[in-house]
Amino acid sequence: MRILLTGANGYIGKRLLPELVDQGHYVVACVRDRDRIKIPEYLNASVEVIEVDFLDPSTTTRIPPDIEAAYYLIHSMSSKTDAFDRLEAEAAHHFVDAMDGTGVKQIIYLGGIANAEHLSQHLQSRLAVEHILRSAKSPVTAFRAGIIVGSGSASFEIVRDLTEKLPVMITPKWVQTRSKPIAIRNVIQFLIRSLLKKNMLGKSYDIGGPEVLTYSDMLNIYARVRGLKRRIIHTPFLSPKLSSYWLYFVTSTNYNLAVNLVNSMKVEVIPEENEAAKLLSIDLIPYAKAVEMAFQKIEADAVPSSWKDAYASSAADINISERVKVPEHGCFTDARKGLFHGPPDALIETIWSIGGETGWYYANFLWKLRGLLDKLVGGVGLRRGRTRRNDIEEGDALDFWRVVLADKSQRRLLLFAEMKLPGEAWLEFEINPINDNACELVQTATFRPRGILGRLYWHSLVPAHHFVFNGMLRNILLDASKRSSGLNESVNNRRDLSGGDVE
């Protein structure tokens, strides 16, 4: 079956795509920026990527007319709080117009539970999108989910940030809000198993896990699973605005997203009872088990997607392809070179591990201070970390940077700054081979200033740049040398065991 998957590079889309291929389907992956999605090589024969922006109806002509089913997973929650509902409605109308020109037999939509009398702007928007989709000629199957629990999901990462970082939590009133959190594995099962099921066409189903829990319950269960002792003190005095700041400074959310999350967290999201799980033979996973499963992915460094990699984490909306070419005119640069005696692979491994828990190889306290200052002026700070410990892809968030190029074959890593700056900044690492046993690492910071403030900003940091960037280059080369020694020792040990050369 030919399936259109919108939001293919989002949190749900990245997990749904390989499952659809495993079921034998051909997937047309719909994204706004082709450079932000990397299709695994084993999926290439069954996946086609097209660039479509549903806020620009002229691009919808790229959708093939022979689509048989479509998933609508587009979400604009990260936009400014007074704009995202209008953008979501506009995108949904354009999607309906595009689908009416195809042979699609079913539209499957994932929205939010909307049973409360007073809904947040976010949940109102989710419900409005569902109503718009139902104006399409094709039948719609809508699943309304509450809190989704999985490695990299926004709700899981917020609970993780709060519980891991705060032994004592003074929490706002909304932590007593009830919900039925659902494991990401169950969500994917609902989306897959409902495909062209006749008894699902034209229906809406609330979906949730098997337990009714408050946010306080979730924090306590998470702590128990992780073997942590935590104390939660409830107070009615934290206003929604203060709660938003609390989430913003303690977790990895941006402020706009924190506001929308707090507004949604005040609303109880208890699913209405229905037979969807029974009809689709789905065993609902308890919250504690969902947390354990999430950490299995995290500990195996196999997190397939994270909300932090979405532009929702920075409230930015850049086109990666427009940032790959680093400007040369009107820019300030700090370029440093270092000679590395060893295989390029060891140097690549070191560079590809930068950021997150590894840090920036030198003066990490200054990087943390810069991240804190960024948070204070409304930026993303350093708390996003990285999705995987030892691998990065184009489009990934990396602390307060965005990966715009990560090409091991070209031996080049290019990062674009998403921190608050009076200009634009890039950080690039490029490895140039000299011979079989030596190569040169070129580390370049580029800044394109915006006005006189941008120029003053750069010049004020020149001494710090000399200190930080020189130390970073030196320690990258040192770390790579240690990795190279480890690789050589490993090879020698394998030779000793095998009695000959390694193939």
Side-chain angles (χ1 to χ4, degrees):
M1 187 187 306
R2 289 176 66 83
I3 296 173
L4 180 74
L5 178 61
T6 66
N9 56 352
Y11 178 74
I12 300 292
K14 276 187 175 180
R15 295 173 186 242
L16 186 57
L17 190 151
E19 297 289 340
L20 289 170
V21 173
D22 286 346
Q23 295 290 321
H25 303 297
Y26 184 89
V27 179
V28 179
C30 188
V31 295
R32 284 193 298 163
D33 184 355
R34 182 188 297 270
D35 292 323
R36 285 199 61 225
I37 187 168
K38 183 177 181 181
I39 305 299
E41 194 171 326
Y42 76 96
L43 298 177
N44 278 339
S46 300
V47 178
E48 172 188 352
V49 179
I50 60 173
E51 283 189 348
V52 177
D53 181 354
F54 284 101
L55 294 176
D56 179 2
S58 67
T59 64
T60 62
T61 57
R62 298 168 186 164
I63 297 174
D66 56 350
I67 294 296
E68 297 172 77
Y71 287 92
Y72 191 77
L73 303 176
I74 296 173
H75 198 9
S76 302
M77 190 174 175
S78 63
S79 302
K80 293 181 180 179
T81 54
D82 60 351
F84 73 83
D85 50 353
R86 177 183 58 81
L87 296 175
E88 287 195 336
E90 187 178 339
H93 279 297
H94 294 156
F95 174 81
V96 167
D97 292 340
M99 289 302 97
D100 285 349
T102 70
V104 67
K105 300 171 185 174
Q106 182 190 26
I107 295 170
I108 300 177
Y109 170 61
L110 181 63
I113 293 174
N115 298 327
E117 184 177 348
H118 301 289
L119 297 176
S120 66
Q121 186 182 11
H122 162 59
L123 291 174
Q124 286 176 344
S125 179
R126 299 277 76 199
L127 187 59
V129 167
E130 182 181 329
H131 292 325
I132 293 169
L133 295 180
R134 292 205 180 281
S135 68
K137 296 176 182 177
S138 309
V140 174
T141 301
F143 292 107
R144 300 170 180 170
I147 295 171
I148 297 176
V149 185
S151 57
S153 74
S155 54
F156 172 80
E157 293 299 336
I158 286 172
V159 169
R160 181 184 178 190
D161 280 343
L162 293 173
T163 313
E164 298 279 354
K165 295 173 182 175
L166 301 176
V168 178
M169 285 176 265
I170 300 175
T171 58
K173 186 176 180 180
W174 52 256
V175 298
Q176 298 301 325
T177 302
R178 300 183 307 155
S179 65
K180 294 185 79 173
I182 182 170
I184 180 61
R185 183 171 299 183
N186 285 154
V187 174
I188 298 300
Q189 288 172 335
F190 277 108
L191 295 174
I192 290 281
R193 297 184 186 183
S194 60
L195 193 59
L196 289 190
K197 290 287 191 301
K198 288 185 179 180
N199 58 354
M200 294 279 133
L201 299 179
K203 304 287 185 62
S204 295
Y205 296 98
D206 290 353
I207 57 175
E211 310 149 293
V212 176
L213 301 173
T214 64
Y215 288 97
S216 182
D217 293 332
M218 286 184 267
L219 292 167
N220 282 318
I221 292 171
Y222 178 98
R224 187 169 67 247
V225 170
R226 295 288 289 154
L228 302 171
K229 290 185 178 180
R230 294 294 182 259
R231 186 181 179 191
I232 300 174
I233 302 171
H234 305 301
T235 174
F237 303 113
L238 281 176
S239 67
K241 188 169 185 177
L242 287 175
S243 295
S244 299
Y245 281 120
W246 181 62
L247 277 188
Y248 171 62
F249 281 108
V250 176
T251 73
S252 50
T253 61
N254 65 61
Y255 182 69
N256 285 336
L257 185 57
V259 170
N260 290 323
L261 285 170
V262 166
N263 288 335
S264 295
M265 287 171 173
K266 294 185 295 181
V267 180
E268 287 202 341
V269 283
I270 306 296
E272 291 183 353
E273 295 296 325
N274 60 70
E275 297 291 308
K278 183 178 179 181
L279 291 171
L280 298 175
S281 302
I282 295 173
D283 294 324
L284 298 176
I285 299 169
Y287 182 77
K289 180 64 176 177
V291 171
E292 290 174 1
M293 291 165 62
F295 269 96
Q296 288 172 6
K297 290 286 187 184
I298 293 168
E299 289 165 1
D301 201 20
V303 178
S305 63
S306 173
W307 79 273
K308 296 177 185 178
D309 293 332
Y311 289 138
S313 67
S314 62
D317 194 1
I318 66 170
N319 189 310
I320 286 179
S321 60
E322 295 175 357
R323 298 295 191 276
V324 170
K325 184 170 175 57
V326 181
E328 298 177 0
H329 302 291
C331 295
F332 297 111
T333 60
D334 182 297
R336 300 173 190 273
K337 300 178 180 179
L339 186 64
F340 177 64
H341 295 282
D345 286 350
L347 193 51
I348 289 172
E349 188 177 347
T350 292
I351 294 169
W352 255 247
S353 300
I354 201 167
E357 293 180 4
T358 301
W360 292 84
Y361 291 112
Y362 189 73
N364 279 326
F365 71 97
L366 289 178
W367 288 93
K368 291 177 181 178
L369 176 61
R370 181 64 182 88
L372 175 60
L373 293 174
D374 191 52
K375 274 277 189 181
L376 290 174
V377 296
V380 295
L382 286 181
R383 291 200 178 99
R384 292 187 303 183
R386 50 183 294 155
T387 300
R388 293 165 295 276
R389 289 189 295 272
N390 301 312
D391 192 27
I392 44 181
E393 299 176 354
E394 284 90 351
D396 282 2
L398 186 58
D399 291 333
F400 46 44
W401 302 90
R402 178 74 59 178
V403 180
V404 294
L405 181 70
D407 192 324
K408 289 185 176 180
S409 63
Q410 293 184 21
R411 301 185 177 106
R412 184 182 175 213
L413 175 66
L414 179 63
L415 310 176
F416 178 75
E418 290 187 328
M419 66 193 87
K420 295 287 187 180
L421 290 170
E424 296 176 310
W426 289 259
L427 182 60
E428 181 176 9
F429 301 93
E430 190 170 13
I431 301 169
N432 300 317
I434 297 174
N435 54 46
D436 291 342
N437 296 310
C439 54
E440 180 186 59
L441 172 61
V442 182
Q443 173 190 289
T444 308
T446 302
F447 182 69
R448 181 161 60 185
R450 189 182 302 116
I452 187 66
L453 183 61
R455 294 176 179 276
L456 290 173
Y457 172 83
W458 175 266
H459 288 300
S460 69
L461 289 177
V462 166
H465 286 169
H466 178 78
F467 175 70
V468 172
F469 289 141
N470 195 52
M472 185 167 69
L473 177 68
R474 182 177 65 248
N475 284 354
I476 286 174
L477 295 172
L478 180 62
D479 183 271
S481 295
K482 292 178 180 177
R483 291 176 189 265
S484 177
S485 299
L487 288 173
N488 290 336
E489 183 178 345
S490 175
V491 169
N492 289 333
N493 288 339
R494 288 165 62 195
R495 282 176 176 163
D496 292 340
L497 290 170
S498 64
D501 289 341
V502 178
E503 293 182 357

